[in-house]
Amino acid sequence: MNLQESILKLIRKASTDLSPDVEDAIKKAYETEDEGTPAKNVFGTIMEDIELARKKSTPICQDTGALIFYIDFPVGDSEQKYREAIENAASRATELQYLRPNAVDPVTNKNSGNNIGKNAPYIHFHQWDKDEVRIRLMLKGGGSENVGTQYKLPDSGLKASRDLKGVKKVVIDAVTKAQGLGCAPGIIGVGIGGDRVTSYALSKEQFFRKLNQRHENPEIAKLEEELHTDLNKLGIGPMGFGGKTTVLGTHIDYQHRHPATFYVAISYMCWAYRRKEMIIKNGEVTYD
């Protein structure tokens, strides 16, 4: 098993091959929109794009996003090994045009040209007790990243208190303000609690769940269902043209907080919901 080549394949699959649950959701959204409407036409174009990208193994979107990796590995394994393989694979993927150069130095404003830079790609390492390695990759576009936001409850302007009703109000406010920016229909990830950093991290990790896979906590699952329904009643629709589908999925998780804080982080993923997973066990690689 060649780790670099395996990760290169993971990048290619994420960039060019939309996962079945996302494609199915887009097809269902197309079927629900009225004939002759801008929303129907947008979904039709999106479906053509998905098919062509898969057939030609070319990026689904011109913004191939920032590379965000989550790696779960056994105790004693080397982080550096995975970091080097990821950097080499990302550089090669850029050469092969599976990725656009998306790593810019904020001091010099120079693009590295190969998606490699200080803390780029972004890699989250976690040790676990399993005898296998799980590498999850998310390609996060800049437009969708720009409409992510964070609230601090209570919020007097929204009359949002420190409870799940308050959480619901700020999520609806965030999607309303997005108004189709970030390439709607979006997928919403919500992280409740923690500090400012961990609430955002938790919200993004929700994007690895299958679409509308409900939380095991019944109260959170109920909130996910309510928000999914209410957000699609906003009428923003695909690309903000109006329509019945503003979001494809809504996923929420929570963590304990400090008594003096109540953060709600909301991350937004565009319809080009690019995430893939690979498992390494006994030298064999399998892809989701």
Side-chain angles (χ1 to χ4, degrees), residues 7 20 35 52 54 56 61 70 86 104 125 129 151 175 181 186 202 212 226 229 231-232 238 246 260 265 268 287:
I7 293 173
E35 290 292 338
L52 282 171
R54 181 178 293 126
K56 296 181 179 293
C61 176
Y70 285 74
I86 284 172
V104 177
F125 288 102
D129 294 329
Y151 292 79
V175 176
L181 296 175
L202 186 65
N212 298 313
E226 289 177 355
T229 299
L231 292 173
N232 280 321
T246 297
Y268 191 104
Y287 296 91

Side-chain angles (χ1 to χ4, degrees), residues 8-284:
L8 176 61
K9 183 176 179 179
L10 181 72
I11 294 171
R12 178 183 64 78
K13 289 168 74 70
S15 180
T16 66
D17 184 14
L18 205 63
S19 296
D21 60 324
V22 185
E23 187 173 6
D24 288 346
I26 289 171
K27 288 178 179 177
K28 288 177 182 177
Y30 171 81
E31 292 166 0
T32 63
E33 298 292 350
D34 296 330
E35 290 292 338
T37 60
K40 189 85 167 182
N41 292 336
V42 168
F43 278 123
T45 301
I46 287 172
M47 287 163 57
E48 289 178 19
D49 176 45
I50 293 168
E51 184 178 352
L52 282 171
R54 181 178 293 126
K55 184 181 295 184
K56 296 181 179 293
S57 201
T58 54
I60 296 167
C61 176
Q62 54 85 22
D63 180 2
T64 56
L67 290 88
I68 305 174
F69 286 89
Y70 285 74
I71 301 179
D72 302 290
F73 62 103
V75 176
D77 209 347
S78 166
E79 289 187 8
Q80 187 61 28
K81 173 180 69 176
Y82 296 105
R83 186 176 297 278
E84 288 179 358
I86 284 172
E87 289 181 354
N88 291 333
S91 179
R92 181 64 179 143
T94 309
E95 290 177 12
L96 294 171
Q97 298 185 342
Y98 301 143
L99 298 175
R100 182 182 76 179
N102 276 345
V104 177
D105 184 323
V107 179
T108 64
N109 284 323
K110 291 183 178 179
N111 194 314
S112 69
N114 61 0
N115 281 292
I116 308 302
K118 187 173 183 178
N119 200 31
Y122 315 127
I123 309 173
H124 301 267
F125 288 102
H126 302 94
Q127 288 188 336
W128 63 2
D129 294 329
K130 298 182 181 180
D131 63 348
E132 62 187 30
V133 177
R134 179 176 67 172
I135 301 179
R136 294 177 293 172
L137 169 62
M138 174 195 317
L139 299 180
K140 189 78 165 60
S144 65
E145 187 73 354
N146 282 336
V147 293
T149 189
Q150 188 179 67
Y151 292 79
K152 182 179 67 176
L153 297 181
D155 186 310
S156 58
L158 295 172
K159 296 181 180 179
S161 53
R162 289 183 164 189
D163 53 27
L164 294 185
K165 288 183 180 179
V167 172
K168 184 176 181 180
K169 286 182 179 180
V170 299
V171 174
I172 292 174
D173 184 63
V175 176
T176 301
K177 286 178 177 176
Q179 284 295 312
L181 296 175
C183 295
I187 297 85
I188 309 303
V190 181
I192 305 171
D195 70 351
R196 285 191 181 275
V197 174
T198 55
S199 65
Y200 263 127
L202 186 65
S203 70
K204 278 190 176 178
E205 197 163 5
Q206 301 318 299
F207 294 137
F208 288 114
R209 289 162 59 179
K210 296 296 184 184
L211 266 182
N212 298 313
Q213 174 190 2
R214 293 295 165 233
H215 200 281
E216 64 271 13
N217 182 310
E219 287 189 78
I220 299 296
K222 180 183 177 185
L223 180 58
E224 289 174 334
E225 289 283 0
E226 289 177 355
L227 272 169
H228 189 72
T229 299
D230 290 347
L231 292 173
N232 280 321
K233 288 179 180 178
L234 293 176
I236 295 170
M239 303 299 174
F241 284 120
K244 300 173 184 177
T245 307
T246 297
V247 299
L248 296 173
T250 308
H251 299 142
I252 304 170
D253 203 357
Y254 65 96
Q255 56 199 341
H256 280 58
R257 60 179 178 85
H258 186 280
T261 67
F262 197 122
Y263 295 113
V264 181
I266 299 154
S267 290
Y268 191 104
M269 178 67 85
C270 58
W271 68 262
Y273 184 8
R274 294 157 295 177
R275 40 90 159 115
K276 295 289 183 184
E277 174 183 309
M278 61 181 273
I279 299 289
I280 305 171
K281 188 168 184 176
N282 299 324
E284 297 294 325

